[in-house]
Amino acid sequence: MHRNRHFKRFSSQRQSTLRGSMPLAPTEKRHGAKSFRRRCKLLGDEQPLCVTTNNQRQRYVTKDGKCRVNLGHIKDKSRFISDIFTTLVDLKYVWFLLVFTACYILTWMSFGGIYFLGAWLRDDIAHVHDSQWQACFENVDGFLSALLLSLESQRTIGYGTRRVTANCPEGVVLLMSQSITGSIIDAVMVGCMFVKISRPQQRAQTLIFSKHCVICERDEKLCLLFRIGDLRESHMVDAKIRAKLIKSRQTKEGEFIPLEQSEINLGYDTGGDRLLLVEPQTITHIINHSSPFWEVGAKRLKREILEIIVILEGIVEASGMTCQARTSYTQDEILWGHRFASCISLEKGAFLVDYSGFDKTFEVQMCPLSARDRTGVVYWLCYNVFRKHITSGFYLIKWFISTMVPTIMGTDTDSVSDMKY
């Protein structure tokens, strides 16, 4: 069944490549583009996932940290209404300002209409110029004056020309209701505005990552390195770094797992993931048997389809809020056999960081084998050396017995050489 499925997929891809060499009508081009986007959404092809028109793989996370995942066909949208505060905060500024303005205008218009209806029912509009008339809503002669009464009451302006009198209890209840409603709207809208303005998302713009990852040897171990830095003088508190490997794979049972996440150890067990981000830090991942890059060499790295997601978290010193910065590296942005150049120097009694050399790397001579193959080569060399020494030792003992023992014991050498070992 799986073979038939792969054969159909291969035949469809083959037909698409053959079709690409023939001229297509505009309708066929649009249909082909739609079907291609549909196949990209499935993420089931073993070919490079969602290749764009620039022959680049579709990223899971962009370089500036935005996740390229669209959520669709959500049936139960009432969950967003139940968490209305977060929904309002997550809105874009244009829509948030539109909701902010609409809330106040709708309440002013609604209570203005109620004031106008009350004045019309009590006949206050017809006796607006009658000084002997005991009006409930004074100086309300139309909807516009009722709207001004609503606005002045909710915003506590109180010019004094229009007001609610004590001649009707329903007017007092209406005024109390509008005051409570206005206070609730003020609390929600001002709270949302404050949270939205003070969100530390813009703080992440001054946290930078190197453009490339490098793989090189450090302390005789194969390591994956990347660099992070903070452009501000106010530092991040309790900064932590972690990384994920995004890679699709197929299990032994034939199940296809798209965008599987694997943990990349950046020193969690030794505390190396906790940073004092005062100057640029080079983060190290040691490639050992538990690393997802254990079997990846220089040639295999060029064929792999993977993405490394780097997440930096910390507390903003100025506001005390948690900030998160993200970036990603695809297989084309991982340089094998390179090393980062130093960007720190000592000048005038202080350390100077030159951010112009933040992304600079230089090539080093390095074996293209993976960490697993390197370990196998070392074991093979150790085995051959051990075997060579054992063989040399055996011949040395044989020579000692055949030459020195007869001399010491006064025995003939030929009789000793006839001994069976």
Side-chain angles (χ1 to χ4, degrees):
M1 180 177 179
H2 295 293
R3 291 181 179 178
N4 295 334
R5 187 182 304 168
H6 291 302
F7 178 76
K8 291 179 181 179
R9 185 183 303 163
F10 176 78
S11 62
S12 63
Q13 293 173 356
R14 179 65 177 172
Q15 291 175 3
S16 64
T17 54
L18 291 176
R19 251 187 238 114
S21 60
M22 299 189 311
L24 297 176
T27 56
E28 293 182 358
K29 290 182 179 179
R30 289 194 297 268
H31 178 71
K34 291 181 181 179
S35 61
F36 177 74
R37 287 194 296 268
R38 195 178 299 114
R39 287 197 301 270
C40 285
K41 291 180 180 179
L42 291 177
L43 297 175
D45 285 339
E46 295 179 2
Q47 300 296 325
L49 299 179
C50 296
V51 180
T52 61
T53 56
N54 297 328
N55 294 327
Q56 295 180 352
R57 176 187 178 275
Q58 176 63 53
R59 307 182 75 100
Y60 186 77
V61 175
T62 60
K63 295 296 287 185
D64 56 355
K66 296 179 180 179
C67 297
R68 302 301 298 271
V69 178
N70 297 327
L71 305 179
H73 302 288
I74 300 176
K75 297 181 180 180
D76 190 8
K77 295 185 178 181
S78 61
R79 298 175 181 268
F80 297 98
I81 304 300
S82 61
D83 188 13
I84 187 64
F85 187 82
T86 305
T87 303
L88 292 175
V89 172
D90 288 340
L91 289 176
K92 294 183 178 180
Y93 272 102
V94 175
W95 294 105
F96 179 77
L97 293 177
L98 181 62
V99 172
F100 184 88
T101 306
C103 286
Y104 284 104
I105 293 178
L106 286 176
T107 52
W108 296 336
M109 298 284 290
S110 300
F111 282 97
I114 297 174
Y115 285 135
F116 174 74
L117 181 62
W120 179 74
L121 292 176
R122 293 185 61 87
D123 207 17
D124 290 341
I125 298 177
H127 299 82
V128 65
H129 299 294
D130 188 358
S131 61
Q132 301 297 325
W133 179 261
Q134 294 183 353
C136 180
F137 305 99
E138 285 188 358
N139 296 323
V140 176
D141 55 357
F143 178 75
L144 185 59
S145 59
L147 179 60
L148 290 175
L149 175 62
S150 174
L151 176 61
E152 294 168 7
S153 300
Q154 184 169 335
R155 302 313 302 165
T156 63
I157 297 175
Y159 291 117
T161 57
R162 282 171 293 273
R163 63 190 181 92
V164 179
T165 64
N167 297 325
C168 57
E170 60 271 19
V172 178
V173 174
L174 183 60
L175 183 61
M176 293 172 60
S177 302
Q178 187 177 9
S179 300
I180 295 174
T181 304
S183 300
I184 294 175
I185 293 176
D186 289 340
V188 174
M189 291 293 104
V190 173
C192 290
M193 180 64 76
F194 174 77
V195 173
K196 193 170 185 64
I197 293 176
S198 61
R199 292 178 77 178
Q201 290 181 344
Q202 299 303 322
R203 177 64 175 89
Q205 301 299 322
T206 54
L207 299 173
I208 59 175
F209 300 85
S210 58
K211 294 181 180 179
H212 296 90
C213 274
V214 299
I215 295 180
C216 62
E217 293 179 345
R218 175 174 282 191
D219 296 329
E220 299 181 352
K221 296 179 182 178
L222 195 63
C223 299
L224 183 141
L225 308 175
F226 60 90
R227 183 175 280 178
I228 60 175
D230 189 359
L231 301 179
R232 288 190 178 273
E233 294 184 357
S234 58
H235 308 298
M236 299 285 292
V237 180
D238 193 22
K240 297 179 182 178
I241 188 75
R242 55 194 177 97
K244 293 282 187 179
L245 176 66
I246 308 297
K247 181 181 178 182
S248 301
R249 71 179 183 92
Q250 190 171 7
T251 62
K252 296 180 180 179
E253 295 79 12
E255 179 188 3
F256 182 77
I257 305 177
L259 305 177
E260 185 183 35
Q261 299 184 11
S262 303
E263 187 71 24
I264 299 178
N265 188 4
L266 299 179
Y268 176 78
D269 48 351
T270 60
D273 61 332
R274 298 173 178 85
L275 307 175
L276 178 61
L277 200 58
V278 178
E279 79 283 352
Q281 297 287 325
T282 301
I283 309 302
T284 305
H285 165 64
I286 300 176
I287 302 177
N288 50 24
H289 64 279
S290 61
S291 171
F293 300 97
W294 172 246
E295 300 178 357
V296 177
K299 294 182 179 179
R300 182 175 174 179
L301 181 62
K302 297 179 180 179
R303 302 191 305 266
E304 288 287 339
I305 301 175
L306 55 86
E307 187 172 351
I308 301 174
I309 311 299
V310 180
I311 305 171
L312 175 63
E313 293 179 341
I315 300 174
V316 181
E317 188 177 22
S319 62
M321 301 184 70
T322 303
C323 174
Q324 184 181 95
R326 296 184 296 266
T327 192
S328 69
Y329 302 97
T330 60
Q331 70 278 359
D332 298 329
E333 297 169 344
I334 303 176
L335 304 179
W336 184 280
H338 284 69
R339 191 171 295 164
F340 283 108
S342 177
C343 60
I344 301 177
S345 60
L346 181 61
E347 292 185 6
K348 297 181 180 180
F351 294 99
L352 177 64
V353 178
D354 183 13
Y355 275 101
S356 63
F358 181 80
D359 295 315
K360 290 183 179 179
T361 61
F362 60 93
E363 190 173 359
V364 294
Q365 296 294 329
M366 199 176 70
C367 177
L369 296 178
S370 64
R372 178 184 178 183
D373 295 338
R374 288 164 178 259
T375 306
V377 170
V378 171
Y379 285 159
W380 181 79
L381 291 176
C382 292
Y383 172 76
N384 285 339
V385 171
F386 179 74
R387 182 180 178 183
K388 181 178 180 181
H389 285 297
I390 289 295
T391 305
S392 301
F394 174 76
Y395 284 112
L396 180 62
I397 294 174
K398 183 177 180 181
W399 173 82
F400 179 79
I401 294 176
S402 61
T403 305
M404 301 302 297
V405 172
T407 305
I408 296 174
M409 301 180 60
T411 310
D412 190 7
T413 305
D414 296 333
S415 61
V416 176
S417 61
D418 293 336
M419 296 174 62
K420 295 181 180 180
Y421 296 99

